[in-house]
Amino acid sequence: MLLTLASDQARSNVPAFLLSPVGQFWHVSDLHLDPTYHITPDHTKVCSSSKGVNASNPGPFGDFLCDSPYQLILSAFAFMKDSKEQVSFMIWTGDSPPHVPVKELSTKLVISIIGNLSSTIRNFFPDLQVFPALGNHDYWPQDQLPVTTSEVYNAVADFWKPWLSDEAINTFRKGGFYTQLFESSNSYQPLRIISLNTNLYYSPNKVTVNITDPANQFAWLEGILETSSQKNEKVYIIGHVPVGYLPYARNTTAIREYYNERLVKIFRRYSSVIAGQFFGHTHRDSIMVLLDEEEKPVNSLFVAPAVTPVKDVWQMESNNPGVRLYQYDLFDYSLLDLWQFYLDLRDANKKNESNWKLEYILTKTYGIEDLKPESLYEMAKQLSMPHSTLFEQYYSNYIVSYDKTILCEDGCKTCQICAIQYLDYSSYGDCINQEATWR
């Protein structure tokens, strides 16, 4: 093993003890704590997040029509801690408050919920480096994150001081984003984390309508990536609302189209610097492969499923709660694998105990070598084959094993396949228009 590694010119100058090949980190997203959750005979009163609708089958760990009870969130972190996995850091991609009508929350409540969950994480993992990002619900009123300093940005900056440098905190106070180097004793080079405030680009954000570069985040991002490129740093991009197209809605980007095109352009230009991108927001488990103008795969992107199991009453599917572990190459931070864990919510409620389990290991399930863009592109090609049983597995993982009987065919599959491979307007449009040819 060491001989093959050392044959690489760059690696040959690295002391052998640095060549232990694999590092790991956790990714959690969309905790959505509902402090009102409680078991009561009147199912319309179990949780505010059901908005007066009957909870379906409420138990100690939650319900598919409610956001997370605190007990569910505690069980997730207890599982992660008890797993004894050796991790270098954790990324936490936002959304702490529940999905409730605007009048049921306030700036004060939103701040206190983010504070509560920040300290919960710190209590479970007192010595762990955490890199958080803000979500669209981490504000009041929701989605309306501003382009200048605010009460929420300031309060959250204070909560996150134990994890972030003074420079990162100062940037965060101004616009809800930051960058920070992660230096590890067993890595050859430091890793740069860029935590974006993609909520500034989110369609429902009225504050940023007609602003070309909200909070100057694009200019800032290009500056950081340019410097990283000159210093030969590797970068992980984290954020809440993902770039690209939503896998469940035809012709719909998660952020405004103009901002999406701009981000895709930036990510293409600096794809050799960016070793991975990580998002949340959709509550589902999906991948994307960024292709360059020649349709060559240049970046791997991952959307992690939520801890909250909530769905709207009209939705057919939801997700079981999930948390995930990534494995990366300690030399160049390229992504090697992903272990997705989940809680079977119905089973946990029935047995009154939380038994978090491994749902899948990505390379094993899809028969690929690693999580590099070329491998994910191979996987995408497999999924897009007509009658692909692998795609059925992908869809089951997409909803975190919520219900094996739900199928995704025809138009549903088209949306999924096109969203995986095409992140910009013109290539996505071409994919949608030729759906009849590969279905």
Side-chain angles (χ1 to χ4, degrees), residues 121-316:
I121 292 175
R122 206 152 36 251
N123 289 340
F124 273 97
F125 309 100
D127 305 315
L128 187 60
Q129 169 67 58
V130 177
F131 295 110
L134 278 180
N136 59 299
H137 282 267
D138 296 324
Y139 204 77
W140 189 84
Q142 69 176 64
D143 311 329
Q144 308 309 313
L145 286 84
V147 297
T148 51
T149 190
S150 67
E151 195 181 337
V152 171
Y153 290 171
N154 274 324
V156 174
D158 291 338
F159 297 143
W160 293 351
K161 263 185 185 162
W163 297 323
L164 303 179
S165 67
D166 291 349
E167 189 189 353
I169 289 292
N170 290 338
T171 314
F172 185 87
R173 286 186 195 282
K174 295 191 198 101
F177 51 87
Y178 65 87
T179 181
Q180 181 157 314
L181 268 187
F182 171 68
E183 306 203 46
S184 153
S185 53
N186 58 359
S187 290
Y188 172 62
Q189 57 183 344
L191 167 74
R192 179 167 294 284
I193 303 283
I194 298 178
S195 179
L196 292 177
N197 184 355
T198 52
N199 314 290
L200 297 174
Y201 311 136
Y202 188 40
S203 309
N205 189 340
K206 300 188 189 80
V207 181
T208 56
V209 172
N210 298 332
I211 301 181
T212 316
D213 185 2
N216 295 320
Q217 186 173 221
F218 287 130
W220 173 85
L221 173 63
E222 286 178 296
I224 301 288
L225 287 170
E226 184 54 45
T227 307
S228 289
S229 153
Q230 287 164 13
K231 289 183 173 171
N232 283 324
E233 291 174 347
K234 288 297 179 193
V235 169
Y236 284 168
I237 303 276
I238 70 171
H240 181 68
V241 185
V243 69
Y245 283 78
L246 293 170
Y248 54 84
R250 186 168 291 228
N251 294 321
T252 312
T253 45
I255 57 178
R256 288 193 190 106
E257 220 152 66
Y258 160 78
Y259 297 136
N260 188 62
E261 293 296 301
R262 189 139 175 208
L263 269 184
V264 166
K265 212 175 244 165
I266 295 171
F267 292 153
R268 277 182 177 148
R269 187 179 325 137
Y270 292 103
S271 59
S272 61
V273 182
I274 302 168
Q277 300 194 40
F278 311 92
F279 301 97
H281 180 65
T282 65
H283 296 198
R284 304 286 185 269
D285 176 346
S286 63
I287 62 156
M288 289 179 275
V289 191
L290 179 64
L291 307 178
D292 66 10
E293 281 84 353
E294 279 76 55
E295 293 225 353
K296 194 169 107 352
V298 292
N299 240 209
S300 302
L301 301 88
F302 301 88
V303 180
V307 170
T308 183
V310 77
K311 74 179 188 74
D312 279 313
V313 70
W314 47 267
Q315 284 178 296
M316 188 165 75

